[in-house]
């Protein structure tokens, strides 16, 4: 009996040990292993997008008839009627993610429906102007040619003007993975093409972002790049797109994040967690409401309406690498009633700003209403009107008054005496609240230190009220400047107070908040448009 008990104990110990090992392996797999999915175009055909009304004269690739509505493939660009999708899938091959054989890349010609004002690459005359399917376009290099000029076009496709942004299909090998019934294709390996200064682009967006502007941007980029380079966050995490950096570890990728400041922070966190070497340079196509980081980096205040993809790609070609400070926010909850339970610890990473009090309250009210009625928040202009509404409401209610009695502020270990205030803001970049630059308002005096996003310092300022915020927005008042610091500590002694970091708000109970410099992220900026940061990196840093 004793021997049986020993055997049972040994089995239990072995089972526990195996469980622990498997758990660690699974965690490692979840954090380190991601896949770049690739559609099997031999089975699924084209990637169709339905169109209610085509914006230019369009002809069916199947029948040749003029069509007003229908569908187009966002990868290769062919257009058909709704009831001819199956015929098109059988007759016309789609833009391929890969080629079974390496070597010379051939043109992939699509007949008709050329972009407006297209010119023949051979005779330089306008093409695609006849009222029928006529002339051709290569869906890789975007070359357009007349039917009569097509025979003299060289067979090799050089990928056109943006070859340094594209992963050529003849350099990609796909792999079939998964179990029976759930097998699917992924990008298995990638070889480097013979392209000078090759720094391919990864596009990351959510098709639901920006009143569905994200869907149109994803479609446009699939037509310009290898479709596997375009990642939809609605279906995949950003780590799936960043797997390209693991497949070609000696190449500096460029990442274009299409979204708001929250999406940018998500992607930057993923890059840091994956420990990519070399880390890609990140550019922004703003789709959110505030877009303060994109304003500072020269990417604009927000995308509205039709986007010219060629302008965006030209922008990426001209952008310069800069460094962006990222700050670790550590929130340690205070023990309640003196009970010695472990204190809850929360860690965030800040790119733009962190605030306590009235500024965060407006953001929190906006966030709550948007979650309950998302259809009311589909426009950037409407969102700003909601912000104005909640700010006006707080002018009357003053929910955050007497904040100085509930909070302590320390900068680099020095306790700051607080006057009557309703909010504190910690700035990493000069833009705040959707384009306001409070630190520089009335700051012509030499006594106001210059702000920068790469100097290892944050700017700390106070807010008297919601009305004070409104005055700052129109430049009629100055902030209460507490100064710059390498470390900021905020102690909330009692009650619950609204807080927000980069537009993500919450209600916080008594706690200690410590803000320290974490690391610097690699970003892309227009140095001639950006007024902050040093942007001293050389062109060699890109490659």
């Amino acid at each position: 009996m004793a021997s049986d008990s020993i055997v049972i104990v040994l089995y239990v110990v072995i089972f526990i040990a195996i469980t622990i090992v498997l758990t660690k392996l699974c965690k490692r797999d979840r954090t380190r292993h991601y896949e770049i999915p690739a559609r099997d175009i031999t089975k699924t055909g084209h990637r169709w997008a339905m169109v209610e009304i085509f914006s230019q004269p369009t002809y069916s690739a199947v029948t040749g008839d003029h069509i007003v509505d229908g569908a187009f493939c966002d990868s290769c660009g062919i257009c058909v009627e709704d009831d001819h999708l199956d015929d098109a899938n059988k007759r016309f091959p789609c833009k391929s993610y890969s080629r079974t054989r390496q070597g010379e890349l051939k043109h992939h010609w699509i007949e008709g429906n050329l972009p407006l004002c297209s010119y023949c690459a051979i005779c330089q005359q306008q093409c695609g102007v006849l009222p029928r399917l006529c002339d051709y376009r290569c869906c890789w290099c975007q070359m357009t040619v007349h039917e009569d000029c097509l025979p003299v076009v060289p067979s090799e496709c050089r990928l056109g003007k943006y070859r340094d942004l594209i992963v050529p299909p003849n350099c990609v090998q796909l792999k079939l993975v998964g179990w029976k019934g759930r097998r699917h294709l992924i990008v298995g390996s990638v070889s480097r093409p013979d392209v000078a200064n090759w720094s391919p682009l990864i596009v990351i967006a959510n098709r639901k972002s920006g009143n569905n502007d994200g869907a149109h941007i994803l479609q446009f980029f699939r037509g310009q790049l290898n479709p596997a380079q375009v990642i939809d966050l609605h279906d995949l995490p950003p780590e799936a797109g960043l797997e390209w950096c693991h497949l070609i570890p000696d190449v500096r990728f460029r990442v274009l994040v299409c979204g708001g400041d929250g999406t940018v922070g998500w992607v930057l966190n993923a890059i840091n967690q994956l420990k990519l070497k070399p880390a890609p340079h990140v550019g922004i196509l703003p789709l959110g409401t505030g877009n303060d980081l994109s304003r500072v980096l020269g990417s604009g205040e927000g995308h509205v309406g039709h986007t010219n993809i060629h302008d965006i790609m030209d922008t990426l070609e001209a952008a310069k690498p800069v460094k962006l400070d990222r700050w670790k926010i550590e929130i340690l909850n205070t023990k309640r009633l003196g009970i010695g339970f472990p204190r809850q610890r929360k860690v965030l990473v800040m790119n733009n700003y962190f605030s306590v009090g009235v500024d965060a309250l407006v953001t929190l009210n906006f966030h709550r209403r948007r979650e309950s009625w998302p259809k009311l928040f589909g426009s950037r202009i409407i969102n700003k009107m909601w912000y104005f509404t909640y700010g006006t409401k707080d002018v009357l209610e003053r929910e955050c008054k007497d904040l100085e009695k509930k909070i302590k502020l320390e900068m680099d270990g020095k306790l700051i005496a607080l006057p009557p205030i309703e909010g504190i803001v910690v700035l990493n970049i000069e833009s705040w609240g959707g384009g306001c630059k409070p630190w520089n308002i009335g700051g012509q005096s030499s006594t106001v230190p210059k702000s920068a996003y790469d100097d290892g310092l944050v700017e700390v300022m106070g807010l008297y009220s919601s009305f004070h915020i409104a005055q700052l927005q129109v430049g009629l008042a100055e902030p209460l400047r507490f100064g710059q610091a390498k470390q900021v500590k905020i102690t909330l002694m009692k009650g619950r107070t609204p807080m927000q970091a980069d537009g993500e708000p919450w209600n916080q109970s008594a706690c200690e908040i410590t803000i320290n410099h974490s690391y610097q992220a690699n970003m892309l900026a227009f140095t001639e448009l950006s007024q902050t940061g040093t942007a001293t990196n050389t062109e060699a840093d890109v490659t």
Side-chain angles (χ1 to χ4, degrees), residues 219-240:
Q219 291 169 3
F220 293 148
F221 274 108
R222 288 191 190 104
Q224 297 290 323
L225 307 173
N226 189 318
Q229 294 176 246
V230 183
I231 303 299
D232 186 353
L233 291 176
H234 190 72
D235 302 324
L236 299 166
E239 289 86 352

Side-chain angles (χ1 to χ4, degrees), residues 261 289-293 295 352-353 355 359 362-363 384 387 425 427 429-438 461 469 472-474 500 502-503:
D261 292 335
T289 300
N291 301 318
D292 288 292
L293 183 56
R295 296 169 192 263
N352 301 354
Y353 40 76
S355 66
D359 173 54
V362 174
T363 305
K384 289 184 177 181
Y387 271 110
V425 180
L427 294 166
I429 61 176
E430 65 174 2
S431 183
W432 163 77
C436 176
K437 298 181 179 180
M461 66 180 192
I469 294 177
L472 290 172
Q473 291 284 348
V474 295
Q500 66 102 359
D502 290 348

